[in-house]
Amino acid sequence: MAQVHRTTSHVRLLAAGSLAALSLGLATPAMAQQAQAQDQAQADENTPESAREIVVTAQFREQRLQDTPLSITAVDATLLASRNQTDIAQIAQQAPNVQLNAMGGAYGSSLGAAIRGVGQFDFNPAYEPGVGMYVDDVYYATLTGSIFDLLDLERVEVLRGPQGTLTGRNAIGGAIKLFSKKPTDENSGMVEAVYGSRNRVDIRGSANFILAQDLYARVSGVYKRQNGYVDQIDYGCAKPGNPQGITARPGSGQDCVIDKLGEKGYAGLRGSLRYNPGDNFDLVIIGDYTHEERTNAAEVISLINPARITNAYACGRFCTYANFYAPPGGFVSQGYEMPNRLKFDGYGFSANMTIGLSDSLNVQSITAYRNYRQKWGTDDDFTPDLAIAGQGYNDLKFWFFSQELRVNGKIGDNIDFTVGGFYSDQRSVYFTRQDIRYIAPGLNFQFLGNDPVNADSKAVFGTVIARPIEGLTVTGGLRYTEEAKDYTFVRKNYDGTRSIFLGALDGVTATFKGDRVDWRVSADYRFSPEVLAYVTVGTGFKGGGVTARPFDAAQALNGSFDPETVTAYEAGLKTDLFDRRLRLNIAGFINDYNDIQLPLISCASLGSLAPCGARQNAGNGRIKGFELEMQASPIEGLDIDASLSHLTGNYKNIDPRVGNAILLTDPIVTPNWKYSFGIQYRADLGSAGSLTPRFDFAHTGKTSAGRIAAGLPIEYFNAYDIGNARLTWRNEAEDLSISMEVQNVFNEYYTPFRFAAVYAFTGTAYSQVGRPREWAVTVQKRF
């Protein structure tokens, strides 16, 4: 068996450095602070879920979750651990009306995100995310690299609905905020090791220590490695003497397995330094580094047009004949392979400083820089057919700088306010080598791109929270944003000369400039300590941009588009009932969704008669739905949580240029239904510690997969149900735990995403396959 399992020296060094740093931290004398940290951790784990207070900062200030008039799913570190959720995509299983999906191999390491049916799934830097992602209050500007490990987190906040006046940029669907644990005045630490299915190995840890009076540090690290679960099989080896004349590749081995797609290879390190001499000054400096190296996403052929290629290329549920190979032709005299792996390296720094000017006024400054580079290859047709020849190589470089300044204050006892400004500057350089001879057989359609993309954003904002009478709170917010973007297209032949087919684009610069005012008004009334009701209306937008994949200069120069917008109307109820043994939050909403950015079939209106690759503001629609979240602790030791959500809606109009690719009768949002529940019981064993079994279940309704060609019916991904089980033993001191878990207990086979963009040319579409049933054992020790 010739499997390829490569872990670079970067990963080994990073993992070793992480553990060394942790060991140094854990060796620090820990006297009274150790006991204090363990007592706090034990208190958090023993407090019923419905009674735990989670403090959120969605409105620029610390507020109880149940006092905040927004739809928020807030998950603290204790609940993350009990569910064994270790990456951001897993949060969506329990969050109502939230879709987070690691994208397929054609998109590299990127996360598609949508909340209440509004989001973005294309990684290209010409387009903007539809869900704002934040790490420690710093905006993460791209889908690429956003599959975050939930490393040493304090909590996750998922804000549903447009956050135009709060988080501002590209939060039209909502925002997801990750908050890491800050250094504190204690010496403590944690190490955790996991072993599981397909040689899964996870090592993570953290250490907090006192450096000097008022000066603290924290370091955390993670290393994850697991074999893939989709076999990449050599077609010529598996089917010798095949009628297509495809021969075996050297070194395939007796079982013909070349590699395994869907593996994990991730390492991360974060360090933070905090200076906190008193209530009037707090400075936190954070640095992080991430290295990811693994095979492409686990994908298989899911659709074949037998009129174009043979059904024999469909391998099975967990295997593929994709060869990532381009035969000789055009600019290449010898065949060559594209990588079936991706490599991502990224780092960032941030400084968050708060200065208290008085008891009622403080200034907060957030400065950040981020840089990453990702390389990956694709096989567009996902077959071994040499006559199709569809491969690509991609190299994306990115850097980002941002500065935010906020002034928070109070006027008397009844008015809180925030005013501030935000600035960001980002640059991407997207190099690609495309061998797409399938578009025009015999013409050897091949080109190099090396496109610089610049974008900047400026905003000023303000929020006022007033309490005119007891129990009533009124909130108003306003934000003004200016954005600009330019995208320069470079289209060369492989030898560096101007592209034969796309030369009209070479050197063309497409630009976008625009501004936007967003607002929000809400009112909430606390009827009793147990019941809060609220109503709110507000707006948000996803930034405008330029057409990312034009076929001629006219599509590039005339193909810029404006922001798409949402005006959202929402009413909700937040309750803590039966002596806080039952927490029930309910929200209903209507979103007027306008200027939706849709792909066109015809570019004649842009002055182009070439195949159309443009995107324009080409539709309007309305989305409506409701959400319910529940946490209950009916008896001591028993915790239950659940969620239920529904989405529906329709297009109100669609530009005729969209043709029959999208119809007024098509669903504007899917899935319609999502629901989940979790249950656990902590059994006290006295001096033997405790035993906690837990089971989680999540249902996702059928989801639109779009149509493979204009005029054909909409296709859907089947609904699926995921169950996870976990059994945890903790010792009496609560500083040692051993857990056994099974993910996807029912071994559900599901496909959450597919790539069908080139079906008309290749006759194939391929789909991402969800992870099969897996088991793992986790050992954790706290110090």
Side-chain angles (χ1 to χ4, degrees), residues 427-430 450-454 486-490:
R427 179 182 174 89
S428 305
V429 179
Y430 179 30
N450 195 26
D451 305 346
V453 188
N454 299 293
D486 63 79
Y487 192 121
T488 301
F489 297 93
V490 176

Side-chain angles (χ1 to χ4, degrees), residues 232 249 321-325 337 379 382-386 391:
Q232 184 186 346
R249 296 168 59 179
Y321 293 127
N323 62 1
F324 291 83
Y325 177 79
E337 292 188 20
D379 186 334
F382 235 60
T383 76
D385 197 320
L386 303 182
Q391 282 76 28

Side-chain angles (χ1 to χ4, degrees), residues 253-572:
Q254 291 184 349
D255 58 5
C256 303
V257 176
I258 301 170
D259 214 332
K260 287 183 174 290
L261 303 181
E263 72 180 15
K264 291 183 179 180
Y266 183 97
L269 182 65
R270 178 191 293 135
S272 54
L273 189 67
R274 184 182 188 187
Y275 180 57
N276 183 217
D279 294 338
N280 291 327
F281 187 85
D282 190 36
L283 172 63
V284 180
I285 299 174
I286 301 173
D288 66 81
Y289 172 70
T290 299
H291 176 86
E292 188 175 11
E293 188 165 358
R294 56 171 174 82
T295 55
N296 280 16
E299 293 172 310
V300 302
I301 283 280
S302 56
L303 194 63
I304 282 180
N305 181 353
R308 296 183 62 87
I309 61 173
T310 173
N311 281 317
Y313 292 153
C315 181
R317 286 158 54 94
F318 288 103
C319 66
T320 179
Y321 293 127
N323 62 1
F324 291 83
Y325 177 79
F331 294 103
V332 293
S333 57
Q334 294 183 337
Y336 61 95
E337 292 188 20
M338 291 293 182
N340 69 342
R341 307 178 65 84
L342 69 83
K343 181 178 179 182
F344 176 92
D345 284 284
Y347 63 89
F349 304 97
S350 67
N352 192 321
M353 179 174 62
T354 302
I355 302 173
L357 303 179
S358 68
D359 291 341
S360 59
L361 191 68
N362 70 65
V363 176
Q364 185 176 14
S365 170
I366 305 169
T367 307
Y369 174 80
R370 181 153 299 279
N371 186 299
Y372 68 67
R373 183 176 186 179
Q374 177 179 247
K375 302 177 183 179
W376 75 104
T378 64
D379 186 334
D380 290 346
D381 58 285
F382 235 60
T383 76
D385 197 320
L386 303 182
I388 297 178
Q391 282 76 28
Y393 174 77
N394 306 277
D395 185 347
L396 179 62
K397 302 174 185 177
F398 171 85
W399 64 257
F400 176 85
F401 170 81
S402 66
Q403 173 64 53
E404 185 167 359
L405 191 67
R406 305 174 189 163
V407 178
N408 293 287
K410 296 175 65 71
I411 301 175
D413 295 329
N414 296 321
I415 296 179
D416 298 335
F417 68 88
T418 299
V419 294
F422 174 84
Y423 169 77
S424 69
D425 185 20
Q426 71 185 63
R427 179 182 174 89
S428 305
V429 179
Y430 179 30
F431 173 85
T432 185
R433 172 179 171 143
Q434 293 293 322
D435 193 336
I436 48 180
R437 284 173 259 174
Y438 56 77
I439 287 182
L443 295 182
N444 300 321
F445 200 100
Q446 301 159 320
F447 71 89
L448 298 178
N450 195 26
D451 305 346
V453 188
N454 299 293
D456 62 73
S457 178
K458 305 170 186 176
V460 291
F461 55 87
T463 295
V464 176
I465 302 174
R467 293 170 287 275
I469 60 174
E470 184 176 358
L472 176 65
T473 302
V474 179
T475 303
L478 197 65
R479 188 181 191 105
Y480 173 75
T481 305
E482 288 185 356
E483 293 191 328
K485 176 177 290 186
D486 63 79
Y487 192 121
T488 301
F489 297 93
V490 176
R491 295 294 181 264
K492 304 291 187 183
N493 297 320
Y494 282 7
D495 60 3
T497 59
R498 195 177 190 187
S499 171
I500 294 174
F501 303 99
L502 298 174
L505 277 168
D506 192 44
V508 171
T509 298
T511 62
F512 163 79
K513 288 186 178 181
D515 58 3
R516 168 78 184 171
V517 175
D518 283 300
W519 54 269
R520 171 177 169 254
V521 177
S522 73
D524 62 86
Y525 188 78
R526 182 160 288 286
F527 291 91
S528 69
E530 295 79 21
V531 179
L532 175 79
Y534 69 90
V535 293
T536 182
V537 58
T539 66
F541 77 96
K542 180 171 74 176
V546 301
T547 292
R549 302 174 183 93
F551 282 88
D552 62 17
Q555 292 180 28
L557 293 172
N558 303 324
S560 63
F561 48 85
D562 293 327
E564 60 182 31
T565 66
V566 158
T567 301
Y569 309 86
E570 180 177 333

Side-chain angles (χ1 to χ4, degrees), residues 605-666:
S605 64
L606 304 179
S608 168
L609 299 179
C612 190
R615 179 177 295 198
Q616 293 284 283
N617 304 104
N620 297 307
R622 172 168 287 184
I623 301 170
K624 53 188 176 181
F626 69 84
E627 299 153 350
L628 183 150
E629 291 184 284
M630 183 271 289
Q631 292 178 324
S633 304
I635 61 174
E636 185 176 355
L638 178 63
D639 291 319
I640 304 170
D641 58 78
S643 69
L644 173 67
S645 60
H646 182 259
L647 274 179
T648 188
N650 60 277
Y651 286 103
K652 293 187 288 186
N653 55 72
I654 295 178
D655 194 306
R657 295 175 299 170
V658 174
N660 54 359
I662 300 173
L663 306 178
L664 280 173
T665 54
D666 289 347

